[in-house]
Amino acid sequence: MKDAVARGKTPPAAVVIFGASGDLTRRKLVPALHSLACRGLLSPSTHVVGIARSDLSEEAFRRRLFEGVEAYARYRPGEHLCEMWPHFAARHTYLRGNYDDPETYRRLGERLAALGDTEGNVVFYLATPPLLYPVVVRRLGEAGLAREEDGFRRIVVEKPFGHDYASAHRLNREIHTVFDEAQVYRIDHYLGKETVQNILTFRFANTIFEAVWNRDCIDHVQITMAEEVGVGHRGGYYDRAGVFRDMFQNHLLQLLALVAMERPAAADADTLRDEKVRVLEALRVDGRGVAGQYIGYREEPGVGPTSRTPTYGALRAFVDRERWRGVPFYLRSGKRLAEKVTEVAIQFKEASLPVFTSSPPSASPNVLCLCLQPDEGVHLHFHLKEPGAGMATRPVSLTFHYADLFGERGLPDAYERLLLDVLQGDPALFARADEVEWAWKVMDPVIARWERPDAPAPQPYAPGSWGPEAGEAFIARDGRRWLHLCGKHGQMSGRVGVLP
Ligand code: BG6
């Protein structure tokens, strides 16, 4: 993985967005490109060609994008002395067309040829509903637009990538009939998050942690992805997906792979992804697990009144490799939980014997917690001697917060990093075909268990809680408890946290 900023400006290119009238373009893609332009990282010869079925004038399209940039970009027009908008927007055009009509692609070809200053480089971004991915790919192929004759041609595929192993495999095959794997960038936006990338630096650039990153010292690992929001207007999609497809197959397994992988032998994208694949190949999710559904979910728009779709899940997994033999990884995620927080907690084994007989037996084990969002940071929980007579110990924590060092807006949005990498041709932070397929192979049996007609219904839980009671009982059976260290209400939310 190369340093994207050190690589300098992106080359000239056209970014063609299919599904350009949708939310992703307005909230994420164009704001991210604008922020890159403000940071001086985007070539001035970057064009955006939006394609969608809506009847939008060029002016209405740009106005929509401007509103998105004003509302969501890290660098907004006029802020940070960024006066890029007029130049930037002048290179945005809109093409109305049907995704299955060869005429749309003929006109797109003409539009691209007329741009003049892109050196033939094109990124195609699939931001349409996933059902349309194969259609767009096929039509691009038929129109000869995927051929790298003058410049590069790359395709970015948004999630969900398939619904199960079979459909993901089929989609990979369809894409590969038109694009080589080296041209394909499958997005998992968690990989674009700065704190997620930091997992690798944290592990491999710090001898003190890497040396204890194994079953001799680690008791277990917990990964939590909790959200406060419900399904909102995405009920139609979500009700067919559920939490195990929506969060576990991609984001949670990606985080687990980064935590558990071996040090890559080289810094290139494929060596990194090979190591992640090895973790997925060795991953065993055991038969236990919990599925929950928040009360009120069935009344959400787009959700069936008798839906059994889980909105909360908790699983236990093992990585069957020497480093991790016998170490459980507890994974949980849910919507409408008490707070938005993503954290990885590594709980170390208890010190084998109390050093002093007067130490209270309750002295809790060391915990290292990576707070991925929000209030990004790292906490290390350890023991001190209570001042005064006696040798009682007290748990305290060392804390690092990104905001203290880099400011409140110091962290780029994930899409800024990912678009930069696509334009610069570095696929390290994108899922390779086999990686996505392995992740489905891991999750398919788990999902099938919950979708069998005789499967128990997901356990109801109150919005604003930490999920169903069964979720607590699930981990308590192993003599452990969920840790909640990061975030507003985390046990380490203060600068000097103290675990109860
Ligand atoms: C998406 C899921 O991939 O990730 C959503 O489809 C979820 O359901 C979102 O809300 C969470 O992303 P973030 O960046 O807000 O943690």
Side-chain angles (χ1 to χ4, degrees):
M1 189 167 28
K2 291 166 258 162
D3 178 348
V5 173
R7 289 189 301 239
K9 264 199 206 324
T10 60
V15 179
V16 177
I17 305 175
F18 291 91
S21 58
D23 247 17
L24 186 73
T25 309
R26 192 174 63 93
R27 294 166 75 112
K28 292 289 180 191
L29 304 183
V30 173
L33 287 171
H34 182 260
S35 297
L36 288 174
C38 293
R39 291 167 64 198
L41 293 172
L42 201 67
S43 157
S45 302
T46 304
H47 297 256
V48 171
V49 181
I51 302 188
R53 286 172 295 207
S54 318
D55 191 6
L56 274 181
S57 69
E58 209 103 293
E59 199 202 318
F61 179 59
R62 287 191 191 142
R63 204 170 40 243
R64 222 181 128 70
L65 299 183
F66 183 72
E67 284 161 12
V69 169
E70 285 251 279
Y72 303 109
R74 193 161 66 103
Y75 287 73
R76 297 168 194 187
E79 275 185 7
H80 307 279
L81 299 178
C82 179
E83 302 297 346
M84 301 298 300
W85 182 258
H87 173 89
F88 181 70
R91 281 163 181 68
H92 286 35
T93 57
Y94 183 73
L95 193 68
R96 181 183 172 208
N98 202 314
Y99 300 117
D100 201 11
D101 182 357
E103 178 59 14
T104 306
Y105 299 81
R106 194 192 58 73
R107 282 165 49 223
L108 172 62
E110 276 176 13
R111 177 84 52 105
L112 292 174
L115 292 178
D117 60 349
T118 59
E119 297 174 9
N121 298 326
V122 186
V123 169
F124 299 108
Y125 201 112
L126 299 186
T128 61
L131 261 182
L132 293 168
Y133 295 169
V135 175
V136 175
V137 167
R138 194 173 57 245
R139 293 291 184 211
L140 283 171
E142 287 164 5
L145 292 171
R147 282 202 298 269
E148 296 192 303
E149 277 158 3
D150 344 303
F152 63 71
R153 301 287 156 123
R154 298 180 185 142
I155 186 155
V156 183
V157 190
E158 262 296 332
K159 68 167 284 248
F161 195 95
H163 185 74
D164 52 16
Y165 168 72
S167 55
H169 183 67
R170 199 164 48 242
L171 180 56
N172 273 329
R173 266 210 329 260
E174 282 160 343
I175 293 175
H176 288 154
T177 56
V178 176
F179 292 93
D180 286 339
E181 178 61 19
Q183 294 173 279
V184 186
Y185 291 70
R186 294 173 196 77
I187 289 247
D188 182 317
H189 76 282
Y190 266 73
L191 293 179
K193 291 182 193 273
E194 199 62 44
T195 47
V196 172
Q197 293 156 42
N198 184 52
I199 295 175
L200 292 184
T201 306
F202 189 82
R203 286 188 54 193
F204 298 123
N206 294 301
T207 330
I208 51 170
F209 298 117
E210 186 50 12
V212 293
W213 212 262
N214 55 52
R215 69 192 175 90
D216 296 334
C217 300
I218 292 178
D219 176 72
H220 74 277
V221 177
Q222 299 185 7
I223 308 183
T224 296
M225 273 185 192
E227 293 187 277
E228 230 174 315
V229 293
V231 291
H233 63 278
R234 295 166 73 229
Y237 147 77
Y238 193 90
D239 207 39
R240 284 191 310 277
V243 69
F244 294 115
R245 289 190 179 87
D246 189 52
M247 298 295 276
F248 280 72
Q249 183 273 341
N250 37 65
H251 311 321
L252 266 163
L253 291 193
Q254 283 290 340
L255 283 192
L256 186 152
L258 293 173
V259 171
M261 67 186 247
E262 298 300 316
R263 177 195 288 271
D268 62 281
D270 272 332
T271 314
L272 173 75
R273 296 187 293 179
D274 288 346
E275 286 302 344
K276 284 199 284 165
V277 169
R278 283 190 192 113
V279 173
L280 296 174
E281 281 170 352
L283 194 63
R284 176 169 50 86
V285 179
D286 69 7
R288 296 179 43 194
V290 178
Q293 188 186 74
Y294 65 79
I295 296 167
Y297 170 72
R298 293 174 180 183
E299 283 84 61
E300 299 277 20
V303 173
T306 57
S307 168
R308 290 161 66 96
T309 300
T311 60
Y312 169 97
L315 295 178
R316 188 176 71 165
F318 292 89
V319 179
D320 287 334
R321 303 191 78 186
E322 195 44 31
R323 181 192 283 269
W324 295 113
R325 192 156 36 84
V327 178
F329 284 71
Y330 297 98
L331 312 177
R332 67 172 167 163
S333 177
K335 293 212 182 277
R336 300 282 340 244
L337 295 182
E339 141 164 52
K340 164 98 178 161
V341 67
T342 305
E343 64 183 71
V344 176
I346 317 277
Q347 180 162 322
F348 291 90
K349 294 193 165 162
E350 301 215 14
S352 49
L353 279 176
V355 187
F356 305 104
T357 44
S358 60
S359 299
S362 62
S364 46
N366 297 135
V367 178
L368 172 70
C369 195
L370 307 176
C371 300
L372 304 178
Q373 63 179 15
D375 197 11
E376 294 81 356
V378 179
H379 300 286
L380 179 64
H381 164 66
F382 61 104
H383 298 275
L384 278 188
K385 179 189 161 304
E386 278 278 6
M391 290 304 283
T393 59
R394 176 178 174 158
V396 293
S397 82
L398 276 180
T399 303
F400 162 75
H401 287 266
Y402 275 79
D404 294 343
L405 190 60
F406 302 108
E408 287 298 336
R409 286 205 285 169
L411 294 176
D413 182 78
Y415 279 89
E416 267 178 62
R417 173 61 198 261
L418 294 173
L419 284 168
L420 189 62
D421 282 1
V422 175
L423 286 161
Q424 292 179 331
D426 185 355
L429 300 179
F430 296 82
R432 211 170 49 191
D434 54 340
E435 206 175 334
V436 174
E437 292 187 14
W438 265 108
W440 279 120
K441 276 190 203 163
V442 169
M443 289 311 299
D444 272 2
V446 178
I447 294 170
R449 269 206 314 272
W450 295 109
E451 290 185 349
R452 275 201 318 252
D454 61 340
Q459 309 269 326
Y461 62 94
S465 69
W466 278 104
E469 276 167 25
E472 304 300 323
F474 160 77
I475 190 163
R477 256 169 66 183
D478 289 356
R480 301 183 173 107
R481 67 190 171 109
W482 290 113
L483 297 168
H484 172 35
L485 304 182
C486 311
K488 280 198 298 284
H489 308 302
Q491 289 140 334
M492 297 213 179
S493 53
R495 289 297 183 262
V496 182
V498 175
L499 273 182

